[in-house]
Amino acid sequence: MAEKIYYAREGVSGELTDVVPHVHSGRLAPVGVRVGAWRYLKNVWDRRQYIWFDSHTKVRTQNSNHRLGSLWLLVKPVLDIAFYGVLFGLVLQVSRGMDNFLAYLIIGILMFQYMSGVLNSAASVMIQGKPMMRAFSFPRMALPISMMVRQTMQMGAIVAVMLVGIAVLPPHVLPTVSWLAFVPVFALNSLFLTGLALMIARYAYVVPDIQQLLNFVTRVLLYASGVIFPIERFVEHPLVTQIIQANPFYIFIDLYREVLMRGSFGSLETWLTAAAWAVGAAVVGFFIFWRAEEVFGRELN
C-alpha cells in the first residue's frame, strides 16, 4: 500500500487533505517538504504582511496588563542605565580615568540588551510556535523573522532613550553628522542577528537545553564584549585582547560608540569586518534553517 503524505490546500489556512503521493492538484502542496532556496525565500516574502502585523500587535500588547503599558519601553532602559551607572560608576568606580563613562555605558548596555534579547527569544520562538505550525501551512522561517522584526520595533523607544541620555547627561555628547551612520550600523547589526537567530531557532527546536546554555553565554558576552568597561584596561594579554576584539558583539558595540560618542565614522576595516559578519551570518543562518524545513514537518507528525 502506498505511503500517505499530507497536503495543504494553498490559500486555505489549516485545511489538510489526506491523499496518496500520485494524486496531484494544482491547488495542493505537500506539507513540510523543502522547496528550492529561492522559492522558499519568496514564500517568506509573501508572508510579509503577517510578519508585520504579528510583530506590531505583540509590541503593542506585550505590556497591556501593566498600568504604565507601553511606557515600560522607555522606563526599563532608564532603570537599567541607573542601576549599572550606580554599580559600576559609583560603587566599583570603573569610570576612573574615562572622559565620558556614562555615554560609554549607556550605548554599551542598551545595544547589548538588543543583541542578547534576540538570542534568548530565538531559542524559544519555534517551540512557542508549535500550535501555529500544526494549524497552518507556511514557511517556518516566518516565525524567527517575525520575532526579529518585533525586537527591532521595540528598539525605537530604546534608541530614543539612548540618544537623549548621552546628549543630556554630563559630559554631554552633542549630535554630529556621524550620528547618521547609526542607521547603517544598526542595519548590519540586525542582519547579523537575523542570521544568528535562524541558527539558534533551528537547533534549539530539537535541543531545548540550548535555552539554558544561552543564559550563560550572554553573561559571558556581557563582560567579554567591552559592554561596561574598556577591555584594554583590564586585559593585558595581547592574544586574549585580539580574540575579544574579533568578537562580533564587540565590533558592533564599538562601532556604535564610534559614530555616536566619538564623532567618527570609524575605519574602513571595521566596517568591512562588520559587513562580513553580517552577510556571512545571514547567508549561513538562512541555509541552515531552510535545510531544516522538513525537520519541523516531521516533528509535528
Side-chain angles (χ1 to χ4, degrees):
M1 180 177 178
E3 181 183 357
K4 294 183 179 181
I5 55 177
Y6 288 94
Y7 286 76
R9 192 177 303 276
E10 295 180 352
V12 182
S13 299
E15 181 178 347
L16 298 179
T17 306
D18 184 15
V19 296
V20 295
H22 298 292
V23 177
H24 176 73
S25 167
R27 299 287 295 169
L28 299 177
V31 173
V33 175
R34 187 176 71 238
V35 299
W38 180 251
R39 182 182 171 189
Y40 186 80
L41 193 60
K42 182 179 181 300
N43 289 342
V44 176
W45 173 252
D46 289 340
R47 271 70 177 185
R48 63 189 180 278
Q49 292 182 340
Y50 154 75
I51 292 173
W52 177 263
F53 178 80
D54 179 68
S55 303
H56 183 265
T57 301
K58 289 180 178 178
V59 169
R60 187 179 58 190
T61 61
Q62 65 176 340
N63 292 311
S64 59
N65 294 328
H66 302 139
R67 290 185 180 275
L68 293 181
S70 296
L71 283 177
W72 274 109
L73 292 175
L74 297 173
V75 174
K76 186 180 183 302
V78 171
L79 294 177
D80 289 337
I81 291 170
F83 170 76
Y84 284 102
V86 170
L87 177 61
F88 290 95
L90 297 180
V91 178
L92 300 180
Q93 296 186 358
V94 175
S95 60
R96 287 181 299 179
M98 297 184 64
D99 295 332
N100 195 341
F101 175 73
L102 281 179
Y104 187 95
L105 182 68
I106 290 171
I107 295 171
I109 288 294
L110 296 186
M111 298 315 300
F112 179 78
Q113 286 184 347
Y114 168 55
M115 292 187 268
S116 61
V118 169
L119 301 190
N120 290 320
S121 297
S124 60
V125 66
M126 300 306 294
I127 296 174
Q128 293 174 354
K130 276 186 177 183
M132 182 175 291
M133 288 192 288
R134 287 192 175 98
F136 300 97
S137 175
F138 64 97
R140 307 319 191 195
M141 192 176 289
L143 293 176
I145 295 296
S146 176
M147 177 276 300
M148 188 67 216
V149 172
R150 182 171 71 253
Q151 293 284 341
T152 304
M153 284 181 175
Q154 293 174 349
M155 284 302 294
I158 296 174
V159 169
V161 170
M162 178 177 68
L163 297 181
V164 171
I166 65 176
V168 171
L169 296 175
H172 314 283
V173 179
L174 299 180
T176 63
V177 177
S178 66
W179 280 28
L180 297 176
F182 174 84
V183 176
V185 176
F186 186 77
L188 288 175
N189 192 189
S190 299
L191 184 62
F192 166 74
L193 292 173
T194 300
L196 211 57
L198 292 175
M199 297 182 221
I200 293 172
R202 183 261 181 267
Y203 292 114
Y205 182 74
V206 294
V207 186
D209 303 73
I210 290 178
Q211 296 183 49
Q212 300 299 326
L213 180 62
L214 277 175
N215 293 328
F216 170 76
V217 171
T218 52
R219 284 197 298 271
V220 172
L221 288 172
L222 175 66
Y223 297 102
S225 302
V227 175
I228 300 174
F229 45 78
I231 295 298
E232 57 271 14
R233 292 185 59 182
F234 297 92
V235 179
E236 298 180 354
H237 196 287
L239 178 60
V240 176
T241 301
Q242 291 178 6
I243 293 174
I244 291 175
Q245 291 176 343
N247 165 18
F249 286 77
Y250 176 91
I251 292 171
F252 283 110
I253 290 175
D254 188 63
L255 201 50
Y256 283 126
R257 288 177 176 138
E258 198 72 35
V259 301
L260 294 179
M261 191 178 80
R262 304 181 186 118
S264 167
F265 287 96
S267 67
L268 177 61
E269 180 183 0
T270 303
W271 279 95
L272 292 176
T273 304
W277 273 111
V279 174
V283 172
V284 173
F286 170 81
F287 280 101
I288 286 178
F289 194 97
W290 165 67
R291 290 178 62 86
E293 186 74 9
E294 293 176 340
V295 173
F296 299 130
R298 287 197 302 268
E299 289 288 328
L300 294 174
N301 287 339

